[in-house]
Amino acid sequence: MTEITSSTAWQRYEDKELVAEGELPWGFLPVVHIQNIAQPYYYEGMSDVESLVPLQDELNTRLSDRASRITFQSFKMYLGKGIEGFEDRPISPGRMWCTNNPEAAIEEFGGDAATPSENMHIAEIREAMDKASGVTPVVAGVLKNKLGNLTSAVALRLTFMGMLSKNERRRFTYTEGLTKIAHMVLVILDKANIYKTSERDREVDIIFPSPLPENMMEKLKEAQIKKELGVPAEQVLRELGYDTANNGENSNQEVL
């Protein structure tokens, strides 16, 4: 089944035959395109992971090489010097050898030796992935070093600057898209006589909570300064999160 929808009409096809059609009463195409990451002059947005694919491939290759090396070199070998019958007695816990040769020795070789250059290369790849993605290990919950006391909003903002800027861009994009979706839904419900609304009622505000801790005393002091500077009280209360419309209705009811 295939359905074609435009801003004025719709058609449904089954086995390439038209089986139903009709007009769209609301006069617009009920589709909202939200770009993942906004890209100027392009309809499609940018992917979060496209830039990470080559880095992830390189990391997988290096980790695979390490796993193969450990598989073939994890066992240890021993070289016995000046010990008679050494080759007939395998190395095992509690095994003892006795010899009168003062130059006899057992040397261990093989195994997974330390490779600082490989470890550094893997660490650099992971660091590059963190920078490209904007998601630092701290944001993901991986704490490697001591961070200190990050209780203030300023300290957290500096620590999570990359993630916060990315979150702000995403918030703006999704706010625009969700606002359009809500407006379209209200228009459709209004024209279907399910939920009548006016154009003013369809103005929807999308509010995302701040990811940073907020100091209420600082917000109140800021609101007091704004009020002293002449900012309307309703706007100050609205910024603090109070519903001024309901408060006004309640006050009017009390007066009546």
Side-chain angles (χ1 to χ4, degrees):
M1 183 180 67
T2 303
E3 187 167 323
I4 301 175
T5 306
S6 68
S7 59
T8 58
W10 62 272
Q11 293 179 334
R12 183 180 297 119
Y13 292 85
E14 294 182 3
D15 296 330
K16 299 182 180 181
E17 293 185 3
L18 180 63
V19 295
E21 62 179 344
E23 296 182 356
L24 288 183
W26 38 81
F28 57 82
L29 190 64
V31 175
V32 176
H33 176 61
I34 301 178
Q35 293 181 334
N36 183 52
I37 299 178
Q39 187 174 197
Y41 307 110
Y42 286 89
Y43 178 78
E44 67 278 3
M46 293 186 293
S47 171
D48 281 326
V49 299
E50 185 176 358
S51 60
L52 301 177
V53 171
L55 292 173
Q56 185 65 55
D57 289 341
E58 176 67 15
L59 179 61
N60 292 340
T61 301
R62 299 285 77 82
L63 294 178
S64 179
D65 292 344
R66 172 187 283 182
S68 299
R69 191 188 70 250
I70 292 175
T71 301
F72 290 103
Q73 298 182 3
S74 60
F75 58 90
K76 296 180 180 180
M77 295 177 286
Y78 300 89
L79 176 63
K81 298 180 180 179
I83 301 177
E84 296 181 359
F86 180 80
E87 67 278 4
D88 298 329
R89 306 178 69 183
I91 300 293
S92 62
R95 174 71 67 188
M96 297 182 64
W97 282 273
C98 181
T99 179
N100 295 325
N101 187 353
E103 297 182 356
I106 298 177
E107 297 180 1
E108 179 184 86
F109 64 96
D112 184 29
T115 53
S117 59
E118 181 186 54
N119 295 335
M120 185 179 298
H121 182 57
I122 292 176
E124 289 175 350
I125 295 174
R126 287 175 170 164
E127 184 178 354
M129 293 180 66
D130 294 337
K131 292 180 179 179
S133 65
V135 182
T136 61
V138 178
V139 176
V142 181
L143 302 179
K144 296 182 179 180
N145 300 318
K146 187 176 180 180
L147 296 176
N149 188 13
L150 298 179
T151 56
S152 68
V154 177
L156 288 173
R157 188 175 288 108
L158 291 175
T159 304
F160 304 140
M161 185 178 297
M163 189 63 189
L164 289 175
S165 61
K166 183 177 181 180
N167 182 64
E168 191 63 30
R169 292 193 300 269
R170 188 71 56 80
R171 179 186 299 181
F172 175 79
T173 304
Y174 276 82
T175 297
E176 293 290 324
L178 292 174
T179 302
K180 293 179 181 178
I181 292 174
H183 185 272
M184 287 183 178
V185 170
L186 291 175
V187 170
I188 293 173
L189 293 176
D190 178 73
K191 293 193 175 182
N193 293 324
I194 297 176
Y195 184 73
K196 303 297 291 184
T197 55
S198 63
E199 189 63 30
R200 184 176 180 181
D201 296 332
R202 298 167 195 153
E203 296 178 358
V204 179
D205 293 329
I206 308 297
I207 300 175
F208 291 93
S210 174
L212 297 175
E214 296 182 355
N215 190 333
M216 197 61 189
M217 292 303 299
E218 292 182 0
K219 293 183 66 177
L220 292 174
K221 290 180 181 179
E222 182 181 352
Q224 186 177 4
I225 294 173
K226 288 182 178 180
K227 188 175 181 181
E228 293 175 355
L229 291 175
V231 179
E234 292 185 358
Q235 181 177 345
V236 174
L237 291 174
R238 194 182 307 112
E239 292 177 354
L240 290 174
Y242 295 99
D243 191 354
T244 56
N246 291 337
N247 291 338
E249 292 177 1
N250 294 335
S251 61
N252 292 335
Q253 291 175 359
E254 292 176 0
V255 172
L256 293 175

